[in-house]
Amino acid sequence: MSFDRVIRHGRVVTPGGSFTGDVGIRGEKIAALGADLDCEGADVIDATDHYVIPGVLDVHVHLALPFCGTVSSDDYRTGTRAGARGGVTTIIDFAIPYAGESLSEAADNWLAKADGEALIDYTFHICVTRWDDHRDQIKAMVDRGFPTFKEFMIYASEGWQSDDRALFGTLEKMREYGAMLLVHAESSRVLDELIARHHTPELMQRYGARLHPMTRPNFVEAEAIQRAVCWCEATGGPLYIVHMSTGEGADIIRSAQHRGVPVLAETCVQYLVLDDSVFEREDGHLFACCPQLKKPKDMARLWDGLRHGEVSVISTDTCTFTRVQKAMWEGDWTKIPMGMPGLETLLPLTYTRGVLGGHLTLEEMCTKLSTNPARIMGLAPRKGGITVGADADLAIIHPTKTHRVDPATMETNADWSPYEGWELAGFSRTTLSRGEVIVDEYRVVGREGRGQWLPRITAGQPAEPTTKDIAGAAA
Ligand code: URP
Ligand code: ZN
Ligand code: ZN
């Protein structure tokens, strides 16, 4: 059997287990796994003393998003280059209708943003923002290859907010169409009340950006997750809680899953490695995101949830704003553009803090970053695992070699990083996307515009790796 490329002598992580050996690639696909594959005529990539892991899927990103009175500053060019450097080979963004637009127009807008710019493959969740207008457009979007939808329980000021009627009705449709609803779960009525109570010149002068965590106690997220789970249980429509940040949320998801409720949850890496003490810093406002960073006990509970299974996916919620954009707050925390950069550091942070930190095995990390996101979002078996027939999307990482996080040397458009100065292992030495090397020796070498839109059929598969794909590899 001949190959175009062979990755040799790496520690290869497959959904069925890890082995030391080779990955044979023909065209865009993985053609064989095994020991000492035939390298005659093939381009050989040496992975000795490295891990060969599936390309990461970041299924929660916002690129060039108009939000908070500005536009998030990583676009499809910088965002996908940043992702590639961090071993990310697939992203899922959110197509959000602009005022008065249909779901289909939203998808067209986001396809246009990505076209000719993206270095890696991509697709979108479709945001239902005006239930009465959008309800009858959902089926056509599923037929067009978009089986995941999103509703926000907050953000009335952006025109994005959904009420319980919309959540309930959308979940009914998800069940009918084999689709899945993603929900940003924060309780808007109580949140707005707490913000209004604190929005005084005296308190802003005294507490500054600390008012952001002060006005979002954990019950703001927990009550909203509980309510969304209630509608999920009542309708049987598959639900996926995005960017879950609280221990209480993990408890709710765990008990719902034990009752057989079709709900899944993602957390973001920032909720695993940062806590709200960052708001004490002079530049604490930079860290404002929704939901906001929580307490060390929440971080610990989310790590446990990943290991036990109630948290299925780690993503980033990348929504990059520069220092100049963040400065729009001028002392009023309600005006801070909400979000942080993340694509470039997802894998290094999860590997360094998760695997080297003893929270996850290497295989569990790959399940949470690749296998589960691909299965849940309807991209498996094409994406998410090193298996014969899958796209040759791979990251090759060194077990211990570290790089210092320095925005000046990064691909992101951000001029700051929440992790500035951190020494992280797990940056991708070599990233392959559909068989093509797009990162070599830690530097992006692929050309933008090569990334492809990924049509999907269904979504919401349960999150479990299979064990049958090791394909003759030596243990
Ligand atoms: O702060 C955040 N997360 N910005 C992006 C919008 C969202 O809620 O996901
Ligand atoms: Zn959100
Ligand atoms: Zn988001």
Side-chain angles (χ1 to χ4, degrees):
M1 201 187 243
S2 64
F3 304 102
D4 298 320
R5 273 208 169 95
V6 176
I7 297 173
R8 292 195 84 187
H9 301 161
R11 184 76 187 158
V12 183
V13 180
T14 82
S18 301
F19 71 97
T20 300
D22 305 346
V23 180
I25 298 168
R26 209 174 299 122
E28 299 191 342
K29 302 287 183 187
I30 296 171
L33 304 176
D36 294 320
L37 295 180
D38 181 3
C39 292
E40 181 81 35
D43 173 32
V44 174
I45 298 175
D46 183 22
T48 306
D49 295 332
H50 285 72
Y51 296 131
V52 182
I53 64 173
V56 170
L57 288 85
D58 187 349
V59 300
H60 189 149
V61 307
H62 304 276
L63 299 179
L65 174 69
F67 185 48
C68 297
T70 181
V71 178
S72 69
S73 71
D74 270 315
D75 57 16
Y76 272 82
R77 198 183 73 78
T78 62
T80 59
R81 286 174 67 90
R85 184 164 175 263
V88 176
T89 50
T90 300
I91 54 168
I92 312 187
D93 195 341
F94 294 80
I96 309 182
Y98 302 133
E101 283 189 344
S102 66
L103 300 184
S104 190
E105 285 168 322
D108 291 342
N109 292 338
W110 256 259
L111 284 165
K113 288 184 205 225
D115 189 38
E117 300 290 322
L119 172 63
I120 57 177
D121 294 347
Y122 56 88
T123 186
F124 319 113
H125 312 289
I126 306 296
C127 297
V128 175
T129 51
R130 299 189 323 278
W131 168 243
D132 286 311
D133 294 340
H134 292 153
R135 57 193 295 169
D136 294 330
Q137 301 168 13
I138 290 174
K139 177 67 167 64
M141 297 311 295
V142 176
D143 294 343
R144 206 181 144 179
F146 297 101
T148 49
F149 297 83
K150 164 90 175 283
E151 286 178 350
F152 299 89
M153 294 172 79
I154 62 165
Y155 297 141
S157 58
E158 301 283 347
W160 296 352
Q161 188 174 353
S162 289
D163 62 12
D164 288 346
R165 180 170 157 266
L167 290 168
F168 187 85
T170 310
L171 283 162
E172 287 179 319
K173 288 188 182 291
M174 298 298 101
R175 181 183 174 155
E176 189 181 342
Y177 304 147
M180 185 172 73
L181 179 63
L182 285 65
V183 168
H184 174 136
E186 288 188 288
S187 198
S188 69
R189 298 298 294 270
V190 172
L191 173 60
D192 289 347
E193 171 65 16
L194 293 177
I195 290 173
R197 283 185 198 174
H198 291 79
H199 201 237
T200 67
E202 297 74 33
L203 290 176
M204 288 197 278
Q205 171 76 26
R206 183 156 163 207
Y207 294 112
R210 278 178 288 163
L211 284 164
H212 184 48
M214 286 166 65
T215 52
R216 281 176 137 91
N218 281 22
F219 58 73
V220 166
E221 179 178 273
E223 187 278 335
I225 292 177
Q226 184 68 71
R227 190 150 33 97
V229 165
C230 180
W231 306 143
C232 169
E233 190 161 15
T235 59
L239 171 68
Y240 176 100
I241 301 295
V242 299
H243 53 45
M244 188 168 72
S245 63
T246 55
E248 288 87 339
D251 293 342
I252 293 165
I253 299 297
R254 185 170 175 81
S255 76
Q257 288 177 342
H258 282 173
R259 298 197 302 281
V261 180
V263 60
L264 297 167
E266 124 195 315
T267 191
C268 300
V269 73
Q270 58 270 28
Y271 301 120
L272 297 166
V273 302
L274 292 172
D275 66 64
D276 66 3
S277 61
V278 293
F279 287 95
E280 303 295 335
R281 289 171 41 159
E282 191 70 32
D283 61 356
H285 68 287
L286 295 174
F287 294 79
C289 57
C290 296
Q292 92 286 8
L293 301 168
K294 299 295 194 301
K295 304 283 182 206
K297 73 172 172 33
D298 297 293
M299 297 160 67
R301 177 66 184 87
L302 292 168
W303 281 119
D304 281 350
L306 285 160
R307 210 176 31 249
H308 298 148
E310 60 267 28
V311 185
S312 301
V313 171
I314 309 173
S315 69
T316 62
D317 196 8
T318 291
C319 193
T320 303
F321 296 105
T322 62
R323 284 177 184 275
V324 167
Q325 289 175 302
K326 288 276 185 180
M328 288 166 58
W329 83 304
E330 292 180 332
D332 178 348
W333 91 99
T334 67
K335 296 196 170 64
I336 310 174
M338 296 288 173
M340 299 196 287
L343 270 157
E344 204 156 347
T345 42
L346 169 60
L347 171 60
L349 285 166
T350 310
Y351 178 72
T352 305
R353 294 299 178 95
V355 177
L356 298 183
H359 294 289
L360 299 174
T361 65
L362 180 67
E363 289 76 12
E364 285 168 340
M365 179 189 81
C366 294
T367 301
K368 305 298 177 179
L369 291 179
S370 303
T371 319
N372 275 352
R375 284 170 61 82
I376 292 167
M377 298 303 168
L379 287 166
R382 179 173 173 189
K383 303 290 190 188
I386 301 184
T387 59
V388 172
D391 281 359
D393 288 1
L394 304 164
I396 303 177
I397 63 172
H398 191 275
T400 54
K401 183 172 177 179
T402 63
H403 287 78
R404 194 182 186 81
V405 176
D406 174 5
T409 63
M410 291 168 82
E411 294 291 338
T412 172
N413 243 343
D415 54 355
W416 71 285
S417 166
Y419 318 105
E420 196 157 341
W422 292 25
E423 286 287 342
L424 298 177
F427 280 99
S428 187
R429 186 204 75 182
T430 315
T431 307
L432 288 95
S433 164
R434 283 182 279 103
E436 188 180 334
V437 175
I438 59 170
V439 170
D440 186 30
E441 289 303 329
Y442 301 97
R443 294 228 307 272
V444 174
V445 294
R447 75 193 145 78
E448 51 257 24
R450 61 167 299 289
Q452 293 179 358
W453 172 63
L454 298 166
R456 296 171 289 153
I457 296 170
T458 56
Q461 277 190 72
E464 280 297 327
T466 59
T467 53
K468 60 177 182 299
D469 292 313
I470 200 154

